[in-house]
Amino acid sequence: MQEMQSTNPVLSRPDAWQVDTTQPQYGQGQQYQGQPYQGYPQQGQQPYGYTDANAPQFGQPGQVAGRMTIDDVITKSAITLGVLVAVAGLTFLFLPTALIFPVWIVTAIVSFGAAMLVAARRKVNPGFVLVYAAIEGVFIGAISKAYESLWDGIVPAAVLGTLVAAAATLAAYKFFRIKVTDKFRKMVMIGTIAYAGVLLVNLVLSLFGIGNIFASANIGLLLLISAIGVGLAVFNLILDFDFIEQGIAMGAASSESWRAAFGLTVTMVWLYIEMLRLLSYFRR
């Protein structure tokens, strides 16, 4: 089977989607590794070395308990995004204006570190996922309040735009049967890394007071850059959908649904921020 890949840092581990191999599986073409047969049994007795608990059922594929399903992914994603939205709403309502910028910077750094930590872990802790969602919620609440203070009504428009873009991407992926090829993955990965590099350089320059790439650019270039960001976020959503679909087909453990929810949350946050940026340029 083709190796699964994703540009999403959470879903890019080579050993993501762990299959539970601790339970015996007997099916067609599988061998029973029990004790050898020791002669003919007496009438009414089980064969020597076999018991009801370990007797294989030949010809019927075995079932592994606790496999990830699409319902698991939807439920965990709803929980994770629900925590994020709730915390973001509280932050938006009650965060003092004077603390917007420092909270914005601190939570951005912490949430980025948390995402990298999850990407490095073999198993995802559900509690840690929800803690990350809360931290990311503070970040989203702070950045949303900053944009709303400059452009009234931009936050509801950005939320609506994010939901519409995500829904349209999922519909296109399912109904048009979009095939994710290795070439497509590589192109999206290169574009994502390049775009992230530009944003990182701009952030460092801004923090040290050297300059701001976006502040000195004309509106046409800003719209182009933001449109590229939205497009890359949408392409990453497609990769995430494909990656999750492959994980379900491979029989990943049900606990991996938290990793899927985490990865989708990271991409949705990125898409929302790009929507905010794009709408702000139109408002100018």
Side-chain angles (χ1 to χ4, degrees):
M1 177 176 291
Q2 183 179 2
E3 181 182 357
M4 294 184 298
Q5 298 177 355
S6 174
T7 57
N8 190 310
V10 179
L11 303 180
S12 59
R13 287 182 54 87
D15 58 348
W17 304 149
Q18 299 298 317
V19 180
D20 187 1
T21 58
T22 60
Q23 300 294 330
Q25 304 177 51
Y26 305 116
Q28 297 178 354
Q30 295 176 312
Q31 297 181 351
Y32 174 65
Q33 304 295 331
Q35 298 180 1
Y37 182 69
Q38 303 174 0
Y40 296 99
Q42 299 296 325
Q43 184 176 5
Q45 293 181 342
Q46 293 283 352
Y48 300 113
Y50 292 86
T51 65
D52 292 335
N54 60 17
Q57 303 295 324
F58 294 104
Q60 296 180 356
Q63 298 294 327
V64 179
R67 286 186 175 182
M68 183 178 69
T69 65
I70 189 62
D71 290 338
D72 288 336
V73 176
I74 292 175
T75 300
K76 303 304 188 302
S77 299
I79 294 173
T80 306
L81 289 172
V83 171
L84 187 150
V85 172
V87 175
L90 293 174
T91 303
F92 183 87
L93 293 175
F94 300 108
L95 180 66
T97 304
L99 296 179
I100 289 179
F101 186 73
V103 169
W104 178 348
I105 297 300
V106 172
T107 53
I109 296 174
V110 173
S111 59
F112 177 79
M116 293 300 99
L117 181 61
V118 169
R121 291 178 63 88
R122 184 178 180 84
K123 291 186 178 181
V124 177
N125 188 317
F128 188 81
V129 172
L130 297 180
V131 169
Y132 164 83
I135 297 174
E136 196 71 36
V138 176
F139 167 73
I140 290 298
I143 193 174
S144 297
K145 189 164 187 173
Y147 272 79
E148 187 70 17
S149 64
L150 295 174
W151 299 284
D152 185 47
I154 193 173
V155 169
V159 171
L160 180 60
T162 302
L163 295 177
V164 170
T169 303
L170 178 59
Y173 175 78
K174 295 300 292 184
F175 293 114
F176 293 101
R177 301 179 183 272
I178 296 177
K179 300 296 182 182
V180 178
T181 63
D182 289 337
K183 184 177 180 180
F184 179 77
R185 290 190 185 95
K186 290 178 182 179
M187 291 178 61
V188 175
M189 181 178 295
I190 293 173
T192 301
I193 293 174
Y195 187 77
V198 172
L199 294 182
L200 181 61
V201 170
N202 184 70
L203 176 62
V204 173
L205 293 177
S206 300
L207 291 177
F208 286 94
I210 299 177
N212 189 314
I213 299 175
F214 298 107
S216 58
N218 60 60
I219 190 63
L221 180 59
L222 292 177
L223 288 173
L224 177 61
I225 294 175
S226 187
I228 292 175
V230 172
L232 286 172
V234 168
F235 291 153
N236 274 274
L237 268 182
I238 293 175
L239 295 188
D240 294 344
F241 294 151
D242 176 74
F243 197 72
I244 292 169
E245 190 172 56
Q246 290 189 49
I248 294 173
M250 291 175 61
S254 60
S255 59
E256 290 298 307
S257 59
W258 282 107
R259 188 186 303 276
F262 201 175
L264 286 173
T265 300
V266 170
T267 308
M268 289 292 289
V269 167
W270 177 20
L271 180 58
Y272 171 73
I273 293 174
E274 294 299 337
M275 281 292 180
L276 273 179
R277 194 195 312 274
L278 180 61
L279 292 176
S280 70
Y281 295 151
F282 280 112
R283 291 292 188 92
R284 293 181 186 183

